[in-house]
Amino acid sequence: MKILLVFDFDNTIIDDNSDTWIVQCAPDKKLPIELQESYQKGFWTEFMGRVFKYLGDEGVREDEMRRAMTSMPFTPGMAELFNFIRKNKKTFDCIIISDSNSIFIDWILEAANFHDMFDKVFTNPAAFNSSGHLTVENYHAHSCKRCPKNLCKNVVLVEFVDKQLQQGVNYTRIVYIGDGGNDFCPVTFLKKNDVAMPRKGYTLQKTLSRMSQNLEPMESSIVVWSSGVEIISYLQFLIKE
């Protein structure tokens, strides 16, 4: 009987956004105005594809990008949380569902020695092409109206839980740890035993708080956190229950 921990990545595991952090590799650490203005709502992955092409055209190479990524700070208490989970891995399965990309997440987790903690990472697939440019694709296609075109985290979570069930793994509860607007959709999938853990002061927490004020209660419990250490305390409480 396991608990499933679902993590977002940007501004949850790491204390910033990996896609905006990479801009420090650009000349003068900023993007040309016309590139900045080419972003269309819901099409972030396509925009990042253009950013990566621009960086490649400017001569930014893989090792420079890797150095920038691995200098990103983890959110306070995350390293402690991961060490706690590692010690209790018999109790927890861990997955990441992220709008970042596979290369950035691999680099960051490997550099910190946390890559073995996660059973599965769902994110936009990325690779370096023959010219040494980083390319990124949409994770999947979906019909959810709430989510960006490249990723509905709810669809991913439902599919993962169903697949696990077919293999005989039934989670006693799901704990969803995130911060952003695109974490709202999967949180609506959570049931009575489950727990939504929005990061304090971020979009997800503000959205959930607005909903409760409008008397649109969630089925799951909501536990707000600022540091990974608070998440440890809550998980310890769940294990004891």
Side-chain angles (χ1 to χ4, degrees):
M1 301 298 274
K2 284 187 146 188
I3 295 172
L4 175 64
L5 303 179
V6 185
F7 285 87
D8 171 45
F9 190 71
D10 291 319
N11 289 311
T12 295
I13 289 176
I14 49 173
D15 204 12
D16 211 307
N17 181 314
S18 53
D19 281 340
T20 52
W21 187 270
I22 199 65
V23 172
Q24 65 184 258
C25 292
D28 300 329
K29 299 189 178 186
K30 56 178 191 275
L31 301 174
I33 293 292
E34 62 275 15
L35 179 51
Q36 290 177 39
E37 289 176 349
S38 73
Y39 168 64
Q40 289 174 286
K41 192 169 163 44
F43 294 86
W44 181 259
T45 308
E46 289 81 353
F47 170 69
M48 285 313 299
R50 293 190 291 277
V51 170
F52 296 148
K53 182 178 185 313
Y54 169 74
L55 293 175
D57 290 344
E58 289 295 325
V60 177
R61 289 289 158 256
E62 182 176 337
D63 58 341
E64 196 181 332
M65 292 173 90
R66 184 194 282 258
R67 268 199 309 278
M69 278 299 117
T70 53
S71 73
M72 284 193 81
F74 277 79
T75 296
M78 266 306 143
E80 292 86 339
L81 171 60
F82 289 167
N83 288 326
F84 168 80
I85 294 167
R86 190 179 266 146
K87 287 195 193 97
N88 294 277
K89 201 68 183 77
K90 287 198 296 290
T91 310
F92 301 113
D93 277 354
C94 286
I95 63 171
I96 288 173
I97 310 178
S98 166
D99 216 347
S100 178
N101 70 69
S102 55
I103 295 258
F104 287 177
I105 293 175
D106 284 352
W107 281 347
I108 290 165
L109 293 180
E110 276 174 24
N113 243 341
F114 290 132
H115 56 292
D116 60 329
M117 268 236 347
F118 292 94
D119 301 285
K120 204 103 175 74
V121 176
F122 300 95
T123 188
N124 304 300
F128 283 90
N129 66 16
S130 53
S131 356
H133 292 188
L134 183 58
T135 60
V136 63
E137 292 169 27
N138 287 348
Y139 174 72
H140 62 179
H142 63 83
S143 55
C144 174
K145 297 284 181 280
R146 270 199 290 229
C147 290
K149 178 171 166 279
N150 61 296
L151 178 66
C152 170
K153 294 186 176 191
N154 192 3
V155 168
V156 174
L157 181 55
V158 172
E159 282 176 0
F160 176 77
V161 169
D162 285 351
K163 196 179 265 182
Q164 289 292 87
L165 202 48
Q166 285 161 23
Q167 292 171 356
V169 181
N170 188 8
Y171 295 110
T172 54
R173 53 166 51 99
I174 298 169
V175 178
Y176 191 102
I177 301 156
D179 72 281
N182 65 355
D183 294 312
F184 176 69
C185 195
V187 161
T188 61
F189 162 71
L190 301 179
K191 304 291 181 283
K192 189 164 58 102
N193 265 349
D194 302 330
V195 188
M197 296 197 77
R199 188 176 180 185
K200 187 177 183 181
Y202 284 73
T203 307
L204 179 61
Q205 189 239 325
K206 291 173 183 168
T207 306
L208 294 175
S209 152
R210 236 187 349 263
M211 280 181 69
S212 67
Q213 284 163 8
N214 296 343
L215 304 178
E216 304 167 58
M218 297 289 298
E219 253 192 89
S220 66
S221 315
I222 296 172
V223 178
V224 177
W225 63 279
S226 297
S227 151
V229 177
E230 292 167 291
I231 302 174
I232 296 174
S233 302
Y234 190 70
L235 294 181
Q236 283 171 326
F237 160 75
L238 287 185
I239 291 172
K240 285 197 188 91
E241 266 196 330

